[in-house]
Amino acid sequence: MRLNIFNIAIASQFERFADQTESFVIGRATMSKQNGLWSHGFLLGRDTVIGTTDSINEYQLKSYLESSKVKGFKEYPSTPGGSGWLFSIFSSVSPLTPASTLSAFRWLISAISATVLVLIIQGLGLTFGRLSLVSSGLGLLFSPMITVAGGHIYWMFGVFLLPMIPILLLINAGTEKINRALLLSSIAFFFKCILTGFELITSSLLAPIVMLAFVLKLNGFRKDLIGKKLFLLFVGMGSALILTIAVLTVQISMVRGSYRDGIVHFIDRLETRTIGSRIPEQIWSNSPIDEGSTALEVVTYYGSNLQALTLFSLKKYQLFGVRYRTIFILYFSASIVGFLFTNAKLNVLISIGWLSFLAPISWLVIFKAHALIHPQLDVLVWFLPTLFFVYASFGAILGQFVKRLKNKKRSNTRAREEEGFETLEP
C-alpha cells in the first residue's frame, strides 16, 4: 500500500490514484499552516491561483512542498475533511521537511489500514482455520484497489473498515460485551464519516450490520435478539451520520454565512450523487458507463469490467488479472460444494457472504450517478464487506476438503492396523 512493492497496481494508477481528492488534503494542510486549522471552516480545499505549466493537483503538491503562500482558497464542502485535519496536525508537529512529513504520513495511513485488514482476516482465520486466513490474506495482497487506496491520504480505506472491528472481535471473545461493541462500532462509524466523509456511505453503514448478523448467527442467538441488536447498531450509526451532517452544516455556515446554506449544499450533493441532476455534460461524456444505464447494468459493469486480483503489473498494463465476475462465479460454485459438507459454521459464513452483497449493491443502485462516473473509485464497495466473506469461504471450504481427506486417511490406516492385528491371532 505504501510502495506497491509487488507491482500489484499499475504504476500510473498507483502514482495518480485520486490525486484530485489528495490535493484537497494537501491544500488544507497548506492553508492550516498559513492561517490556522480553523480557517475557512476547516474544510478541505486548495489554492485557486496556479502556475501556467502545472496541473492544479501538481501545483498544490508543489505549493505544500515549497511552503508557498496560498493566494486563493476554494473549499471542498462535500465532506467534513477530517483527513485534512489529521494531516494538518501531523504537519504542524512534524520536525521533518514537508516532503519527509508527507512520506511519513503516507506510512502512517498505510500502517493503520494494514492493521485493520490484519485484524479482520485474523478474526475470520481464528474461527475458520489457517487456510481461511491465508486465502483472505492473499486476496487482499493481490488486490490492486487495496494497494492504491489503503495508503491514500484522502481515501484511507482502512478507516472504512474500522466500524467492523469491535463486532468482529466478538467472534472469539464471546457476546457478553456486545452492547459495548455496538457503541464502539457506532463511534468508529462517526470517525469514518468525519475522516472520509460520505464516500460509499450506504455500504459503509451496512457492512458492520452484516458483520453483526454474522457474529450473532455464529453464536446461536435467537432471531428476535438478532433483530434487536441489529436495530440498536443501526440507530447508533444513524445517529453518528446525523451528527456528521450537523458538523458539516456548521462548517459550511462558517464560510457561507448561514446554516441553511449547509443544508442546501448537502441536499444538492445528495441529488447529484443519486440522480445526477447537476452533473455537467462534459463529465458524463468522460464516463466509461453510458449515462442511461440501468441499475442492473451498472452492477454488471462493476462485476465484469474491473480487476479484482492482479498477480503482476507493468507500467501501463495489468498481467494475469482476475475480474470480480470470475471471483463471484467461483464463489457460487464453492458455495454449493460448501453446503454439501453440512458444517454449521461454514454454512453461516457462506450464507452471510451472499447476504453481504446487499451492502455494495446498495451504493451502486442508490448512488448510481456517482457510480456511473467513478468506477475507478467506487469499485472499493466490493470490500464492504463481501470480498472478506468470499475469500474466507474459499479457504474454509478447502480446509474442509483437507480435513476430510485426513480423517479418511486415518480411518484407512486404523482399519489396516486392526486387520493386521486380527491375522496375528491364533
Side-chain angles (χ1 to χ4, degrees):
M1 289 181 291
R2 177 63 189 93
L3 300 174
N4 191 25
I5 192 170
F6 297 118
N7 293 306
I8 303 303
I10 297 173
S12 58
Q13 181 195 24
F14 183 77
E15 294 165 3
R16 301 292 300 240
F17 175 74
D19 55 354
Q20 182 183 42
T21 50
E22 187 170 76
S23 73
F24 294 144
V25 179
I26 294 173
R28 176 67 259 173
T30 306
M31 174 53 71
S32 296
K33 183 177 181 180
Q34 180 175 310
N35 294 336
L37 181 63
W38 302 97
S39 59
H40 293 267
F42 44 101
L43 290 165
L44 298 182
R46 57 189 181 185
D47 201 331
T48 56
V49 181
I50 65 172
T52 57
T53 59
D54 299 314
S55 72
I56 191 168
N57 301 330
E58 293 169 344
Y59 176 81
Q60 190 60 73
L61 176 59
K62 183 188 296 184
S63 177
Y64 171 77
L65 295 178
E66 297 176 355
S67 300
S68 301
K69 183 177 180 180
V70 179
K71 301 174 184 177
F73 191 77
K74 181 175 177 58
E75 301 86 6
Y76 179 65
S78 296
T79 170
S83 54
W85 309 352
L86 192 60
F87 184 45
S88 295
I89 295 170
F90 188 85
S91 296
S92 67
V93 300
S94 172
L96 305 173
T97 64
S100 297
T101 296
L102 179 58
S103 178
F105 189 69
R106 294 188 198 279
W107 277 108
L108 173 64
I109 299 305
S110 298
I112 291 173
S113 292
T115 301
V116 173
L117 292 171
V118 166
L119 288 173
I120 291 176
I121 64 174
Q122 183 188 35
L124 294 172
L126 289 174
T127 304
F128 296 98
R130 294 178 181 176
L131 288 178
S132 181
L133 188 150
V134 170
S135 62
S136 299
L138 291 176
L140 298 176
L141 180 64
F142 290 100
S143 166
M145 288 309 299
I146 290 293
T147 301
V148 298
H152 195 267
I153 65 173
Y154 174 85
W155 280 86
M156 303 181 178
F157 194 62
V159 174
F160 284 76
L161 308 171
L162 196 58
M164 291 191 286
I165 298 301
I167 295 169
L168 188 58
L169 294 177
L170 294 173
I171 289 184
N172 299 295
T175 55
E176 294 81 8
K177 299 180 179 179
I178 185 170
N179 289 334
R180 186 176 71 173
L182 299 184
L183 175 61
L184 292 175
S185 184
S186 299
I187 293 173
F189 182 71
F190 174 68
F191 279 114
K192 175 265 176 271
C193 293
I194 290 295
L195 289 169
T196 65
F198 307 105
E199 307 290 358
L200 314 182
I201 193 64
T202 58
S203 303
S204 300
L205 181 68
L206 289 176
I209 293 176
V210 170
M211 190 62 71
L212 179 61
F214 168 65
V215 171
L216 295 182
K217 188 68 176 175
L218 206 60
N219 281 276
F221 269 56
R222 299 197 316 267
K223 289 184 178 180
D224 59 328
L225 288 177
I226 292 177
K228 289 180 181 178
K229 298 304 180 183
L230 292 176
F231 178 73
L232 282 175
L233 180 58
F234 180 79
V235 169
M237 291 194 297
S239 301
L241 180 59
I242 293 172
L243 183 57
T244 305
I245 296 172
V247 169
L248 181 58
T249 300
V250 172
Q251 289 178 264
I252 296 175
S253 71
M254 292 172 66
V255 176
R256 299 185 180 178
S258 73
Y259 295 117
R260 182 179 181 277
D261 289 332
I263 296 172
V264 168
H265 178 80
F266 179 80
I267 295 174
D268 174 84
R269 290 295 88 193
L270 183 63
E271 291 180 354
T272 300
R273 294 186 174 200
T274 52
I275 62 178
S277 58
R278 294 174 175 80
I279 297 177
E281 187 60 36
Q282 180 183 0
I283 294 180
W284 280 126
S285 64
N286 294 327
S287 171
I289 314 175
D290 185 73
E291 178 184 352
S293 298
T294 65
L296 179 60
E297 289 171 333
V298 174
V299 174
T300 302
Y301 178 90
Y302 271 71
S304 303
N305 294 74
L306 301 166
Q307 300 283 8
L309 301 172
T310 304
L311 297 184
F312 188 78
S313 294
L314 296 174
K315 188 172 182 61
K316 295 184 178 180
Y317 304 100
Q318 289 175 310
L319 301 180
F320 313 113
V322 179
R323 298 181 187 273
Y324 290 93
R325 175 182 59 189
T326 304
I327 298 293
F328 299 148
I329 291 174
L330 290 174
Y331 184 51
F332 177 77
S333 303
S335 296
I336 295 175
V337 175
F339 280 126
L340 296 178
F341 284 112
T342 64
N343 181 305
K345 287 202 305 183
L346 184 56
N347 288 344
V348 171
L349 178 65
I350 296 172
S351 299
I352 299 297
W354 284 108
L355 178 67
S356 72
F357 276 88
L358 293 175
I361 290 175
S362 69
W363 174 266
L364 300 178
V365 172
I366 297 173
F367 290 89
K368 189 181 79 167
H370 194 278
L372 282 169
I373 60 178
H374 293 302
Q376 77 281 11
L377 302 174
D378 291 4
V379 69
L380 285 164
V381 295
W382 290 127
F383 290 93
L384 294 169
T386 301
L387 282 175
F388 289 102
F389 288 104
V390 170
Y391 292 145
S393 295
F394 286 151
I397 293 169
L398 180 60
Q400 286 294 310
F401 271 112
V402 173
K403 185 177 180 179
R404 286 202 165 200
L405 288 174
K406 287 183 177 180
N407 289 339
K408 186 176 181 179
K409 185 177 180 179
R410 289 196 196 98
S411 297
N412 292 337
T413 301
R414 191 178 299 112
R416 286 195 297 269
E417 289 175 350
E418 291 176 353
E419 182 179 347
F421 179 76
E422 290 174 357
T423 58
L424 294 175
E425 290 182 350

